[in-house]
Every structure is written in structure tokens, then in C-alpha cells.
Amino acid sequence: MKDIVLIGMPGCGKTTFGKKLAKSLGRKFYDADDVLEEREKRTIKSFFAESEDAFRNAETRTLKYLADLDGVVIATGGGAVLREENMKLFSENAHVIFLDRRPECILDSIVDDSRPLLADDKDRIYKLYEERIALYRKYADAIVDNNGSAEETYDALVRQWDILRDE
Ligand code: S3P
């Protein structure tokens, strides 16, 4: 059975909606950031304190582990699309869904956030969005807009999943 992989910006709702979808489909849910910290026995913050590259290497190791699981729902870290090798892991055996939330909506919902990439400068989210939007679109089998209500987003996600699983 194919995995369902959510990609998108930090704070776009991958974990929230991934958990909900997994529960309603009776599948296991994995948050790649949590799995990374558990498996590496080290925090994301500490990886970033060393270097972004150190973090990205750990992220690739984690995604390799997750890609081997069967039929699960995975919320990736927002930067998973930065390495082609990460996304290749999911090209055959996963439905990749891009959860698209505009930077201004993300900023509204991450007031107390501690993500290392945004720690010093929350407005960096606009730049990251610009840098990454083409990659999210490129790797997505489907795109779900998350700028409206949670109900609308969830309904759209389930609709997209219905289409993808029949393809
Ligand atoms: C990152 C996003 C984070 C986490 C790390 C780097 C990014 O995950 O993987 O801080 O590069 O966008 P979330 O998207 O779950 O916040």
C-alpha cells in the first residue's frame, strides 16, 4: 500500500491534518521531525547549531527510514523538498500531497514558534515560500489549499486522497 506524504512550508498544517487523515484511514502517522529527534537522539535545534547541512543529512537518513514503511501517513519537515534524493524516495511508493498555506496565514498561526529557521526572523517565511514554492509544486501529486477553515481543508484533503488512490 502506498504511503501518504504531506509536504509544505513550516506551519502549513502537515502534522495537524496528517494526524487527522491517518486516524480516519486507520493508518499510522509519523512526524518526520519527531522521528528524526527520536532516532538520532538529538534535537533539531542542536543539529542547526552545528550546521544546516548536519540537519539535512539527518533528515535524509530519517526519510530513508520512513520511506521503507508501508501504507503510513508521513508529515515531512518543510525543507524535505530541498534535496531531490529525499523526494525520489517517495516517487514510486507514495502519494505526495502539498498543503499550501500562504505565508501571511502561517505567520498568524505560529506566534510562539521555536523553529530554528524562523527563530530570529519570522518574516523569513516569505522568502522561504518564494524559494520553495516551485519545488512543492514539482513534487506534488496533488495540492490542497489550507487558507480557509480547517473543515474546508480537511474535506479537500480527503477528496484529493480519494482521487489519488483510484489513479
Ligand atoms: C524546516 C522545517 C521544520 C524542521 C526544521 C527545518 C524547514 O519542520 O524540519 O526546522 O527547513 O522548513 P516543519 O515544517 O514541520 O516545521
Side-chain angles (χ1 to χ4, degrees):
M1 206 195 311
K2 285 192 178 189
D3 294 332
I4 301 169
V5 174
L6 296 176
I7 60 172
M9 290 289 287
C12 75
K14 293 168 297 220
T15 303
T16 307
F17 290 102
K19 268 187 189 161
K20 226 175 146 185
L21 186 65
K23 196 171 174 200
S24 80
L25 298 177
R27 297 195 184 201
K28 280 198 171 157
F29 172 76
Y30 293 88
D31 181 300
D33 290 340
D34 292 346
V35 175
L36 182 151
E37 291 193 335
E38 238 171 74
R39 285 176 53 86
E40 302 281 335
K41 305 206 178 335
R42 203 175 150 185
T43 63
I44 290 176
K45 203 171 166 193
S46 124
F47 275 111
F48 269 94
E50 183 186 331
S51 68
E52 179 165 346
D53 219 38
F55 169 75
R56 297 292 169 208
N57 290 337
E59 181 173 49
T60 297
R61 286 195 289 277
T62 306
L63 293 173
K64 280 186 180 150
Y65 164 78
L66 290 171
D68 277 345
L69 303 177
D70 191 49
V72 301
V73 178
I74 301 166
T76 58
V81 293
L82 297 174
R83 284 192 178 176
E84 194 177 0
E85 69 171 308
N86 293 344
M87 298 316 293
K88 271 201 179 140
L89 293 167
F90 298 115
S91 60
E92 297 288 322
N93 281 318
H95 298 298
V96 179
I97 301 177
F98 168 32
L99 204 51
D100 191 5
R101 188 166 173 82
R102 281 194 302 272
E104 55 271 31
C105 296
I106 293 175
L107 279 181
D108 279 347
S109 49
I110 60 163
V111 182
D112 292 323
D113 205 78
S114 62
R115 288 171 173 89
L117 274 179
L118 306 176
D120 305 328
D121 178 11
K122 296 268 184 287
D123 286 340
R124 189 162 177 218
I125 204 92
Y126 290 97
K127 194 163 166 274
L128 287 179
Y129 189 83
E130 233 171 76
E131 282 168 8
R132 293 176 178 179
I133 182 71
L135 292 171
Y136 292 134
R137 289 191 176 135
K138 172 177 161 186
Y139 291 117
D141 298 315
I143 300 177
V144 170
D145 181 281
N146 181 26
N147 297 300
S149 72
E151 290 74 19
E152 279 166 347
T153 300
Y154 187 67
D155 288 350
L157 184 58
V158 171
R159 265 201 310 279
Q160 285 303 334
W161 157 242
D162 267 342
I163 295 168
L164 289 173
R165 75 171 172 180
D166 291 340
E167 272 175 0

